[in-house]
Amino acid sequence: MKYRNLGRSGLKVSELSFGSWVTFNKQVDTNLAEKMFGTCLDAGINFFDNAEGYERGQSEVVMGKALKALSNPRDSYCVSSKVFFGAKENPLPTQIGLSRKHITEACHQALERLQVDYLDLYFCHRADPDTPISETVWAMHNLVTQGKILYWGTSEWSAEEISEAYEFAYANHLTPPSMEQPQYNLLDRNRFEKEYGPLYEKYGLGTTIWSPLASGALTGKYLEGIPEGSRASLAGYEWLKKSMVESDRGQERMTRVASLVLIAEKLNVSMSKLAIAWCLLNENVSTVILGASKIEQLEENLKSTELSCNHHTPLHSLLTGGF
Ligand code: NDP
């Protein structure tokens, strides 16, 4: 496992990390989570991603129990939470968004669920048009000075909103964001590569990228329909099934996946390894957050570093040459 600085910060994160969206508390219970973390830690992963909104906070409860059971030293790994969507089924107006009140209370609640004294990374899960960015930056800065969070960042904010947060922080001598958590994979490239392009150099923006397999689409397993038990088949994820396979856009994306599968076959590598290795080759990626519902998927995906680090294979020139 290689380690990369989280943008211009001094924090070294493993180039592969592990997240819990959809899976923890739905497909993965505490026992399996513990085994998965064991596999991750053995492989050198040092960052585990979560959010208040995943399974209404229960994903963090599962993660907290599994991390506690493993009892690895707290200074050997990083854990995150994200604030915005709330952890309640029908949240009250004060239980969502990026107000000082919700940011502060959501942090305290995440610390309790994860059974930790501080969060290494704390993200604004989306931008909040109803809260001034200045209030959000102040709230994050205060949590940093209180020692409750170490680094803060954004997720799926526009480049303009991210710039505003940096400029306000710099002008007022507050802690600026360190990272953004955007989607980035072979099918979804525009925002990461184009919109955020100037921010990497200007602000030293770090990135913890999500859905490297586009929720499983890039494994190729949806080309013959929707496999039983897969993410797109789950109750509550009908929206994903629609966007992934049933819509015109989904069909267009599946055509692109089919041509990528042919390339993977020609190169004799699995599609998931190829897709993850491709993300790793972008130097603006600080860490690729993996997702897995089964330990075999995790083991397979961890092997993608073998492809990205071998600079002498024809695969490497193909990957760097672009698709
Ligand atoms: P992926 O795109 O890699 O999708 C992971 C899912 O794909 C697995 O749960 C599994 O689903 C399937 N899969 C993975 N590997 C294989 C394999 N080798 N063979 C077959 N199927 C496979 O990542 P996620 O979408 O899970 O995102 C990763 C993390 O990013 C999340 O856990 C979360 O922490 C973060 N995230 C952040 C977001 C944000 O807004 N900030 C949004 C989304 C995610 P199954 O078996 O059920 O089909």
Side-chain angles (χ1 to χ4, degrees):
M1 183 67 64
K2 292 205 178 92
Y3 298 84
R4 301 183 183 190
N5 279 68
L6 183 65
R8 213 169 274 158
S9 84
L11 184 68
K12 301 267 185 204
V13 283
S14 46
E15 60 182 7
L16 293 179
S17 45
F18 188 50
S20 60
W21 179 55
V22 184
T23 53
F24 278 36
N25 196 53
K26 201 168 181 78
Q27 298 165 298
V28 174
D29 63 12
T30 308
N31 277 340
L32 180 53
E34 197 184 321
K35 281 195 196 111
M36 286 175 152
F37 282 153
T39 302
C40 287
L41 292 163
D42 287 349
I45 281 183
N46 72 1
F47 166 43
F48 301 102
D49 186 61
N50 221 317
E52 62 167 357
Y54 295 170
E55 288 283 295
R56 289 189 220 109
Q58 291 311 300
S59 166
E60 292 184 339
V61 171
V62 170
M63 189 176 269
K65 284 185 190 156
L67 284 173
K68 189 156 198 174
L70 284 164
S71 47
N72 277 48
R74 181 67 184 88
D75 61 3
S76 64
Y77 63 87
C78 301
V79 67
S80 75
S81 183
K82 305 186 203 85
V83 53
F84 177 76
F85 291 107
K88 299 264 190 282
E89 187 164 2
N90 296 303
L92 296 167
T94 51
Q95 295 171 330
I96 50 171
L98 298 180
S99 66
R100 176 179 296 117
K101 180 171 174 64
H102 186 57
I103 284 182
T104 307
E105 288 166 348
C107 175
H108 294 166
Q109 290 156 7
L111 293 176
E112 209 164 292
R113 287 189 294 260
L114 288 161
Q115 304 188 49
V116 291
D117 297 328
Y118 61 91
L119 300 170
D120 301 276
L121 280 66
Y122 194 34
F123 295 89
C124 300
H125 210 158
R126 292 291 180 269
D128 178 359
D130 293 336
T131 303
I133 284 182
S134 54
E135 178 173 337
T136 298
V137 176
W138 263 113
M140 287 295 186
H141 171 78
N142 287 340
L143 288 172
V144 170
T145 57
Q146 290 164 13
K148 288 179 181 161
I149 64 171
L150 304 185
Y151 300 88
W152 78 274
T154 56
S155 179
E156 294 294 343
W157 283 30
S158 68
E160 197 182 334
E161 290 158 337
I162 295 171
S163 303
E164 206 184 315
Y166 272 99
E167 296 301 333
F168 182 80
Y170 288 151
N172 293 280
H173 309 287
L174 303 176
T175 313
S178 293
M179 69 288 176
E180 155 64 44
Q181 186 167 130
Q183 184 173 24
Y184 185 51
N185 57 52
L186 273 160
L187 298 174
D188 301 281
R189 303 174 53 174
N190 197 51
R191 173 166 260 184
F192 188 95
E193 293 177 6
K194 303 252 162 56
E195 186 184 333
Y196 292 164
L199 306 185
Y200 303 122
E201 184 56 36
K202 184 167 184 196
Y203 299 118
L205 183 72
T207 60
T208 63
I209 64 147
W210 59 269
S211 287
L213 297 176
S215 272
L218 278 165
T219 63
K221 71 181 182 181
Y222 290 98
L223 290 173
E224 309 294 330
I226 298 166
E228 216 184 304
S230 65
R231 183 175 290 182
S233 75
L234 299 178
Y237 289 86
E238 291 77 13
W239 61 270
L240 182 70
K241 177 163 73 171
K242 202 161 176 222
S243 72
M244 195 191 272
V245 277
E246 289 174 352
S247 62
D248 287 348
R249 181 172 170 267
Q251 280 307 311
E252 183 265 323
R253 285 159 70 88
M254 282 301 156
T255 309
R256 284 157 67 197
V257 172
S259 56
L260 290 166
V261 166
L262 290 180
I263 296 173
E265 280 171 2
K266 217 183 259 179
L267 293 164
N268 200 24
V269 297
S270 81
M271 193 48 225
S272 62
K273 272 163 59 175
L274 181 74
I276 295 165
W278 178 85
C279 295
L280 282 171
L281 288 171
N282 189 320
E283 60 182 20
N284 293 319
V285 169
S286 312
T287 182
V288 175
I289 315 178
L290 303 177
S293 66
K294 300 184 180 65
I295 203 120
E296 297 77 22
Q297 294 174 351
L298 180 59
E299 285 165 352
E300 162 79 5
N301 299 347
L302 282 167
K303 289 189 205 136
S304 54
T305 51
E306 293 165 7
L307 292 186
S308 64
C309 72
N310 189 342
H311 287 243
H312 303 292
T313 60
L315 173 66
H316 192 270
S317 34
L318 179 75
L319 286 171
T320 46
F323 288 101

